[in-house]
Amino acid sequence: MTHSDHELMLRYQRGDENAFAILVNRWHSPLLRLVCRLNGFPPSEAEDALQEVFLRVARAASGYQNNWAFSTWLYTIALNAARDMLRRRTPPVAETEVEPATTEPTPPQRASREEVVSLVREALMALEPNHREPLVLKHFSELTFEQIGSVLQAPISTIKSRTAAALKQLRRELLLRGVSSEEFLS
Amino acid sequence: MNCETARNQLIDLVYVEGAIDPLLQQHVESCSDCQNELAELTHAKRLLECFDNDPVESLKVNPPGVTTLKKEVRRHSFWKALGIQALAVGCAALLGAIGGGAFVARLTPQPPVSHKDQKKFFELQQQLVEVNKKLESVQAAAEQPKPTAITALATELKEMKRRQQEAELSLAILRDDMKFFGSYVAKYTGR
């Protein structure tokens, strides 16, 4: 019998630690994806990041209320944790201009799949946080625009326009880094 | 639908959630600018799909620390419980202090009615006697057939009555005080 997240959370509030372990098992992959994509963490740092997220969830558990949607509550905590982690990880530095690629990448120069992933991650991190967050929540966490609106506390129309702006900016950032979508998507 | 409205909704065609607005679809099919805009968004979305093979997607992180989390959670619960207990103990101590203070205060004999009060009591009693005497004389005088003096006497009588009432009231208060003091002393001294 599968218990709902909400039910497990209420059980955990009553002191059932196994209920929390089930929640951790159930949610660790989606949250791992969220934190890594939002912060550009390499997998080696993923475990620590995930642990911090779940610790926060455990600490905030007593404040969880019956009428809340569990996933929205969870993503809100994870997002706040990710923001804090990012702040701690990268001291604020002056933005550096990326020199536009002067030549089209030719087949011999074509970046390997791994390099492309690294460049996309870099481009994603170059986005403004208020653009990156809705895009990551939409694309990687597959939340609805309404859910994203609840997590980020913004109207749906704002979320939609920010997501669209993030996509456009992402493409520009990649072109600046010499990555042509047609090139490696073909 | 115009281009501006359509562009604000193009994201609905990139990330489809339920039914798509037919007006938007119609507009995009007939507008090359919006088609280009949509293509740009779709390309960008496809770029993100390169992550599908990224290690994070396939990373099998063993619930990194259910054991550690449990310890942390227990530690958190312990401190939380400790905090609640400390709060409860603090409240109990405060209530105890208040209750104890009130009990001690109750046991401590109040200062007796002072000698000054007793003196005042006798003074008031004397005043009352005098007032009563005067009142009687005023009443007797009022009964005399002296029409010119009647008004003045009546006023004086009225004033006398007022003063009598005041004196009686003060006396009653003082009597009550002394009665209470007497019973109090008897209770705590056995006398």
Side-chain angles (χ1 to χ4, degrees):
Chain A
M1 185 187 164
T2 312
H3 297 282
S4 71
D5 296 326
H6 179 70
E7 202 179 341
L8 289 168
M9 201 62 210
L10 295 182
R11 270 172 52 188
Y12 175 61
Q13 280 183 332
R14 291 194 294 266
D16 182 354
E17 287 178 1
N18 288 330
F20 191 70
I22 297 169
L23 282 172
V24 171
N25 275 314
R26 192 176 286 178
W27 281 95
H28 79 272
S29 286
L31 293 187
L32 179 73
R33 202 178 306 131
L34 173 77
V35 173
C36 289
R37 293 290 166 252
L38 269 179
N39 291 359
F41 284 163
S44 56
E45 290 183 32
E47 211 162 306
D48 286 345
L50 196 60
Q51 184 151 319
E52 173 150 357
V53 171
F54 278 114
L55 273 177
R56 286 190 184 211
V57 172
R59 286 184 192 136
S62 58
Y64 175 74
Q65 289 178 14
N66 260 346
N67 53 346
W68 288 353
F70 179 79
S71 60
T72 308
W73 177 78
L74 186 67
Y75 275 113
T76 306
I77 292 174
L79 187 78
N80 287 330
R83 283 172 182 166
D84 290 346
M85 279 184 262
L86 189 64
R87 249 196 307 271
R88 284 201 303 267
R89 190 169 177 249
T90 50
V93 288
E95 275 186 24
T96 50
E97 285 285 319
V98 178
E99 287 294 319
T102 49
T103 53
E104 286 292 313
T106 55
Q109 295 172 319
R110 186 188 281 184
S112 69
R113 200 82 186 166
E114 213 171 279
E115 284 168 335
V116 168
V117 167
S118 171
L119 284 170
V120 176
R121 187 185 294 133
E122 201 181 291
L124 200 54
M125 291 310 293
L127 302 181
E128 287 290 320
N130 65 352
H131 284 170
R132 183 170 65 247
E133 286 171 0
L135 180 61
V136 168
L137 286 167
K138 183 70 214 169
H139 189 90
F140 298 104
S141 300
E142 296 174 356
L143 266 61
T144 63
F145 287 117
E146 193 183 350
Q147 285 175 315
I148 299 171
S150 298
V151 172
L152 297 176
Q153 295 182 334
I156 297 177
S157 57
T158 307
I159 297 298
K160 283 184 177 179
S161 65
R162 282 183 190 170
T163 310
L167 281 174
K168 283 203 246 178
Q169 186 61 31
L170 181 75
R171 192 160 183 231
R172 277 193 281 275
E173 290 290 340
L174 282 167
L175 287 173
L176 284 173
R177 287 166 175 79
V179 178
S180 150
S181 54
E182 291 84 357
E183 190 83 24
F184 76 91
L185 290 172
S186 56
Chain B
M1 182 177 280
N2 59 26
C3 285
E4 197 188 338
T5 314
R7 282 179 193 188
N8 287 336
Q9 295 179 21
L10 281 179
I11 196 74
D12 289 336
L13 296 173
V14 181
Y15 292 105
V16 180
E17 287 179 6
I20 295 164
D21 185 354
L23 289 174
L24 175 68
Q25 264 180 323
Q26 275 173 17
H27 177 84
V28 173
E29 279 166 16
S30 62
C31 174
S32 58
D33 285 349
C34 288
Q35 281 171 13
N36 288 338
E37 183 89 2
L38 178 62
E40 193 180 356
L41 295 176
T42 312
H43 266 301
K45 186 196 170 193
R46 288 186 64 199
L47 286 166
L48 287 174
E49 282 160 11
C50 74
F51 279 125
D52 289 350
N53 296 321
D54 190 43
V56 171
E57 299 304 313
S58 52
L59 196 65
K60 298 287 176 219
V61 181
N62 281 331
V66 169
T67 318
T68 321
L69 282 172
K70 275 186 178 174
K71 276 184 197 163
E72 282 291 324
V73 169
R74 265 193 223 111
R75 195 166 62 85
H76 181 62
S77 306
F78 169 75
W79 286 111
K80 199 175 144 194
L82 194 68
I84 290 166
Q85 279 175 5
L87 186 67
V89 168
C91 287
L94 186 66
L95 286 173
I98 293 168
F103 182 69
V104 169
R106 226 181 128 192
L107 284 181
T108 309
Q110 296 296 314
V113 175
S114 67
H115 178 68
K116 199 177 164 187
D117 288 339
Q118 284 180 340
K119 198 179 166 190
K120 195 176 176 186
F121 174 70
F122 291 118
E123 280 174 6
L124 283 167
Q125 260 188 333
Q126 276 181 343
Q127 273 182 22
L128 188 62
V129 170
E130 283 170 18
V131 165
N132 280 334
K133 276 183 190 171
K134 210 165 183 178
L135 187 64
E136 280 167 13
S137 67
V138 167
Q139 276 173 339
E143 283 164 9
Q144 296 298 316
K146 290 176 185 174
T148 50
I150 285 176
T151 311
L153 283 172
T155 311
E156 198 175 350
L157 177 64
K158 203 175 173 183
E159 176 61 15
M160 286 296 123
K161 274 185 179 171
R162 191 187 63 76
R163 286 178 64 188
Q164 184 195 18
Q165 279 174 350
E166 274 180 13
E168 276 174 349
L169 183 65
S170 301
L171 193 61
I173 291 168
L174 205 53
R175 266 187 192 138
D176 193 52
D177 283 351
M178 291 191 75
K179 194 176 164 189
F180 171 76
F181 175 67
S183 64
Y184 189 81
V185 169
K187 186 176 178 182
Y188 291 104
T189 60
R191 282 185 283 153

